[in-house]
Amino acid sequence: MENDGSLTLSGENRRKNGQARRWKIARTLPQLDGEAIEPVRFEVHTRTDDEIAIDYDTHRGTVHLTIQRLDGRTCLWKMTVRGFPDGMTWQQASPFWSSSLHGFDAAYRSGRYGWEQAEIHPLGGSAIWKSDSLLGLSAGHWLLIGFVTHTNCFTHFDYAADNAPLDWVRAACEWENAGTRQPASQLATEEMVIIENPYLEGALARWADITAGKMNARVRPENVIAFDSWYRDFDHGTHQRCIDVLLAMAGERDLLPFTHFIIGMGWHANLGDWLDPNPAYGAPVVQTIAEIRRAGLKPGLWFAPFMIGNRSSVFAAHPDWVARKADGLPHAVCSSYGEPRLWFGNEEIYAADPTDPGFLDYIGRCVRTFREEWGVDLLRLDFCHYGCLQDSIYGRAGITHAQAYRRALNVIREAFGEGFILACSAPLNASVGLIDGCRVNAETGPEWRGWYDSASAMSDALARAHLHRRFWLNDAGAAVVRDYFSRLDPDEVRSRGLLQSVTAGVFSTGDDLRLLSPDRRDLLRFLMPIQGSPCEIIEHDLHQVAVLRKTTLIGSQAFVMLAAVNLTDDERAVEIDLVRHGLTRTYHVFDLWEQVYAGRLRGTVRTVLTAHGSALFALTESMGAAAEVVCSSSHVTGAEDIDAIVYTDDSIQITPRRAECRAVIFAAEGIDAPDGLTLRDCGRGAWEAPIREKIAFRVRMPQHA
């Protein structure tokens, strides 16, 4: 602590070559409305190895700052403002501001909404950047500064350089004149942490764990594997088109084990008229829902509660239910006054006012109807950002946009009970604790570059992979595996599908199953998640070339998926140092894309990735036994479709989790398969066997045994 009351943080990190690299953050003080406080005096109340508490007395009131050590690499910051005059207003309160930073050369930032970019970028030059609720700074190791509560206000980080790597950083809580609304002229900012970790992914995981605990995150054990009619029919869905898909799925259930069928837009009369049927849809949507249940699937429903069309009956009856602009007019988020018109013929689509009691009652009633009367199991909550736009003006004063959004979302949560809520276009951190799944990247479609920028969307999925099974189940967008009506080449299809499968627990497609070729149908099955344990990103090049690891335990045997993905437009050589990542033994290696056994190796895996291409390997430790299971060749993880493996002195018994799976067995002397079972010779002593039910293989023992 300096003589003027400011704080200094510093550290020293060791590089791979052993050289030390120092970093320093100095002249650190709280701020109000973008200005550092100017204390008349300051008083340190607590100063121990684990906590420091400071009061900064100003001419207008007191700013109290507490910093607590949570562990050797994490400290928690809390700021409270009290004793300020009644009626005083401010837009922002900042527990952390520094105007002197040294030793940092790159930053991690993430946008507020799932469709906004998340990336690592170099620091330097002259620029002002912005990130949402967290900011990572690289100085050899990573220093992550992030808010871990998100209940009362949105947060963001501003940081800037002026012909330097980095000049200043501000952590801001957006209070929107909150000073006028506190009963005792007191205000507490959201809580913030600073985390140090050698690796960015480790720092992000630690931040997500703390945030999940404080926000009571909901993490469901099951995966969602859905056919989503939006991605087949968009706004032209009908009852009959849904039935056609269900009939096509009926003969594929053993091969393609979908769990859900999501009905897209079109079943309702207009945006806002959610309980009124659309004559163009055909039969009432409750009949579609009943047919989905009869097919053995869980029904899902597309729903955009914060969108209201200007031609809707709801708007005609309740124009006060929409948010306003500064000029008092309805806040139009979409408009088209000529041809073509917007959805359902609207000239304008409005953002709803989530503070209006009548609107909240109506939305709650709609959702209870979906759940309790119609039997909907999953709600695909879309365009959530319209419920918290910064330039929306609400009818009820004394509430921030974040509070308004969370109160509306809580109404939906309570009305939908234990049903699965999948949010799209949502403010990520403000949704934690109220939803079960969330879209974490921009819209995906059948092209690599262009309107649907697959490279950018997949980079975002990688950069937000740490949220999966900490905040919710990630959704990385609908997979496109079809080889018709698509501009994706085979390498791009595999790379996208790989990331959408292993970084998420919500996996969907809108591909017409009747038109899929056998190879693409097999690929879709190969990619469908089974257990959904999280994967780790163990290496990344600004998230454009990334290496991922996912470990599956079957009994005491660990099966490791290693994947490398190249999102760039150039061929890349990749060398994965196994020892660096704790894989220090000799391993069986199976190439899951090429479906070949590569033998046993240790130390390093080398591969060359085509532009937009990927490599996918299954590894398991070689124990030197007469025979051992190498992997499952029929699933992207190399293991999740095997339920159990039992070894005896002269046999291996394998039980499938999902039939049919294909187990690859290494047998130095060969194995004897039961009658009627054909093995594929994978070379180098490995054999592939189709497993439909629990089965035992007799192991041929060495002659000297």
Side-chain angles (χ1 to χ4, degrees):
M1 189 165 191
E2 308 298 338
N3 292 333
D4 61 356
S6 67
L7 301 169
T8 297
L9 299 84
S10 63
E12 182 176 284
N13 300 323
R14 291 282 174 184
R15 294 182 177 181
K16 293 179 184 178
N17 60 14
Q19 293 180 342
R21 179 170 173 181
R22 297 190 60 81
W23 59 269
K24 184 178 180 181
I25 300 177
R27 294 202 291 275
T28 303
L29 283 168
Q31 275 194 347
L32 289 173
D33 270 349
E35 298 291 334
I37 60 170
E38 298 180 358
V40 176
R41 69 183 185 90
F42 65 90
E43 181 179 355
V44 179
H45 289 282
T46 305
R47 190 166 191 169
T48 68
D49 289 342
D50 294 321
E51 183 175 349
I52 184 170
I54 313 163
D55 272 349
Y56 297 96
D57 291 329
T58 74
H59 290 293
R60 296 177 293 178
T62 300
V63 175
H64 180 75
L65 184 67
T66 300
I67 305 172
Q68 297 172 310
R69 185 196 305 273
L70 300 184
D71 56 46
R73 289 182 168 175
T74 310
C75 59
L76 179 72
W77 293 54
K78 299 180 183 179
M79 171 182 164
T80 304
V81 175
R82 59 176 181 258
F84 276 58
D86 290 337
M88 186 173 182
T89 65
W90 50 74
Q91 296 294 321
Q92 293 184 358
S94 306
F96 178 94
W97 168 79
S98 174
S99 60
S100 178
L101 301 99
H102 304 280
F104 301 104
D105 57 12
Y108 169 92
R109 64 173 176 170
S110 176
R112 176 166 299 172
Y113 304 103
W115 41 266
E116 291 187 312
Q117 190 174 26
E119 64 170 356
I120 303 169
H121 69 92
L123 293 169
S126 296
I128 298 177
W129 302 279
K130 188 173 184 177
S131 185
D132 186 43
S133 60
L134 76 166
L135 172 65
L137 297 173
S138 173
H141 288 197
W142 283 85
L143 200 71
L144 188 142
I145 313 170
F147 288 96
V148 292
T149 60
H150 307 276
T151 55
N152 290 312
C153 59
F154 287 116
T155 62
H156 72 265
F157 286 83
D158 300 308
Y159 55 113
D162 185 9
N163 294 316
L166 188 62
D167 284 316
W168 57 265
V169 171
R170 176 190 299 119
C173 294
E174 301 168 10
W175 274 104
E176 305 156 359
N177 296 322
T180 63
R181 299 192 286 271
Q182 302 303 313
S185 298
Q186 293 190 17
L187 173 149
T189 65
E190 303 288 5
E191 297 179 20
M192 190 191 85
V193 294
I194 298 181
I195 300 168
E196 188 273 340
N197 194 284
Y199 304 105
L200 174 60
E201 300 306 323
L204 291 170
R206 176 66 172 138
W207 168 80
D209 284 335
I210 296 170
T211 304
K214 288 183 174 291
M215 296 290 291
N216 297 314
R218 296 172 57 93
V219 180
R220 304 284 282 263
E222 74 273 18
N223 291 315
V224 171
I225 306 174
F227 184 89
D228 191 336
S229 74
W230 169 269
Y231 292 100
R232 178 177 182 261
D233 301 326
F234 300 97
D235 58 326
H236 300 297
T238 67
H239 170 75
Q240 189 57 51
R241 289 179 70 83
C242 290
I243 298 304
D244 291 344
V245 174
L246 285 171
L247 291 173
M249 295 174 74
E252 304 281 1
R253 289 298 305 280
D254 289 341
L255 180 67
L256 300 174
F258 288 97
T259 61
H260 291 71
F261 187 108
I262 302 174
I263 303 167
M265 183 190 285
W267 52 270
H268 46 93
N270 203 328
L271 296 170
D273 297 336
W274 305 111
L275 299 180
D276 298 335
N278 178 7
Y281 181 78
V285 72
V286 291
Q287 292 188 25
T288 317
I289 292 168
E291 292 298 327
I292 292 170
R293 283 208 175 279
R294 269 192 283 273
L297 297 167
K298 295 180 179 180
L301 199 64
W302 182 90
F303 178 50
F306 303 116
M307 298 180 78
I308 297 177
N310 73 293
R311 292 196 178 202
S312 67
S313 298
V314 159
F315 180 68
H318 304 283
D320 52 324
W321 285 5
V322 303
R324 301 285 160 172
K325 298 186 298 185
D327 58 9
L329 294 175
H331 188 171
V333 291
C334 301
S335 61
S336 179
Y337 307 132
E339 290 188 275
R341 287 288 172 85
L342 300 171
W343 291 324
F344 301 96
N346 294 297
E347 289 87 1
E348 295 181 327
I349 297 172
Y350 303 130
D353 180 350
T355 71
D356 188 280
F359 170 76
L360 292 177
D361 287 344
Y362 170 66
I363 290 301
R365 178 160 53 88
C366 290
V367 174
R368 279 190 296 276
T369 300
F370 302 157
R371 179 68 175 160
E372 298 172 8
E373 298 181 23
W374 295 3
V376 175
D377 283 300
L378 181 148
L379 207 56
R380 187 175 186 266
L381 213 61
D382 208 353
F383 295 96
C384 293
H385 63 294
Y386 290 152
C388 54
L389 295 173
Q390 289 178 301
D391 53 347
S392 284
I393 297 174
Y394 300 144
R396 178 182 170 185
I399 186 170
T400 67
H401 285 69
Q403 289 169 332
Y405 171 75
R406 282 188 61 84
R407 290 182 187 184
L409 196 57
N410 190 61
V411 167
I412 295 169
R413 174 78 272 168
E414 290 185 350
F416 205 55
E418 288 306 303
F420 194 103
I421 296 180
L422 172 60
C424 306
S425 299
L428 295 168
N429 300 297
S431 300
V432 180
L434 296 173
I435 61 175
D436 305 289
C438 190
R439 183 67 180 275
V440 296
N441 57 353
E443 189 62 275
T444 54
E447 58 192 8
W448 191 260
R449 299 285 187 190
W451 179 260
Y452 300 109
D453 193 327
S454 294
S456 177
M458 292 306 102
S459 179
D460 293 343
L462 285 166
R464 295 190 176 112
H466 58 279
L467 304 180
H468 180 49
R469 293 205 175 273
R470 289 188 172 94
F471 282 11
W472 44 55
L473 303 188
N474 275 9
D475 173 8
V480 174
V481 302
R482 62 182 183 260
D483 50 9
Y484 61 92
F485 299 151
S486 174
R487 295 189 178 93
L488 295 170
D489 67 34
D491 282 343
E492 293 166 348
V493 168
R494 294 201 303 192
S495 295
R496 257 189 51 171
L498 165 66
L499 292 178
Q500 289 168 319
S501 174
V502 303
T503 66
V506 176
F507 183 85
S508 64
T509 186
D511 290 347
D512 192 325
L513 304 180
R514 297 168 299 181
L515 302 179
L516 288 182
S517 64
D519 286 348
R520 295 301 175 94
R521 188 179 288 105
D522 289 344
L523 176 61
L524 181 59
R525 174 182 170 84
F526 180 84
L527 294 171
M528 285 180 166
I530 298 175
Q531 292 175 299
S533 57
C535 75
E536 306 168 84
I537 300 171
I538 57 176
E539 295 182 18
H540 57 78
D541 175 10
L542 303 185
H543 284 135
Q544 298 305 300
V545 178
V547 177
L548 300 87
R549 175 175 64 191
K550 187 179 174 77
T551 302
T552 303
L553 288 177
I554 303 177
S556 60
Q557 189 173 0
F559 294 85
V560 178
M561 180 213 77
L562 275 185
V565 183
N566 177 17
L567 300 181
T568 76
D569 297 332
D570 303 307
E571 184 179 278
R572 294 290 182 93
V574 174
E575 183 174 297
I576 307 169
D577 185 343
L578 299 179
V579 176
R580 176 188 168 195
H581 299 298
L583 301 171
T584 60
R585 309 284 185 171
T586 298
Y587 298 90
H588 294 288
V589 178
F590 190 88
D591 188 322
L592 288 162
W593 280 151
E594 300 302 321
Q595 291 285 294
V596 297
Y597 176 62
R600 288 179 284 192
L601 62 78
R602 64 183 300 154
T604 304
V605 172
R606 296 181 179 87
T607 188
V608 176
L609 304 177
T610 61
H612 316 161
S614 58
L616 182 60
F617 302 106
L619 281 69
T620 192
E621 184 179 345
S622 173
M623 304 301 293
E628 48 200 356
V629 176
V630 172
C631 68
S632 160
S633 61
S634 49
H635 193 253
V636 62
T637 62
E640 285 189 359
D641 55 351
I642 297 176
D643 186 55
I645 303 169
V646 177
Y647 293 96
T648 68
D649 290 341
D650 60 353
S651 71
I652 299 176
Q653 179 179 280
I654 301 173
T655 304
R657 182 183 299 272
R658 186 183 72 179
E660 166 185 292
C661 76
R662 298 191 304 273
V664 178
I665 304 169
F666 174 80
E669 304 297 325
I671 55 175
D672 293 324
D675 291 342
L677 194 66
T678 301
L679 304 181
R680 179 173 75 92
D681 186 351
C682 299
R684 304 187 186 188
W687 303 84
E688 181 188 70
I691 311 292
R692 297 179 180 87
E693 58 187 9
K694 183 191 295 186
I695 193 169
F697 298 87
R698 185 69 60 185
V699 176
R700 298 177 194 169
M701 303 303 292
Q703 293 298 318
H704 59 77

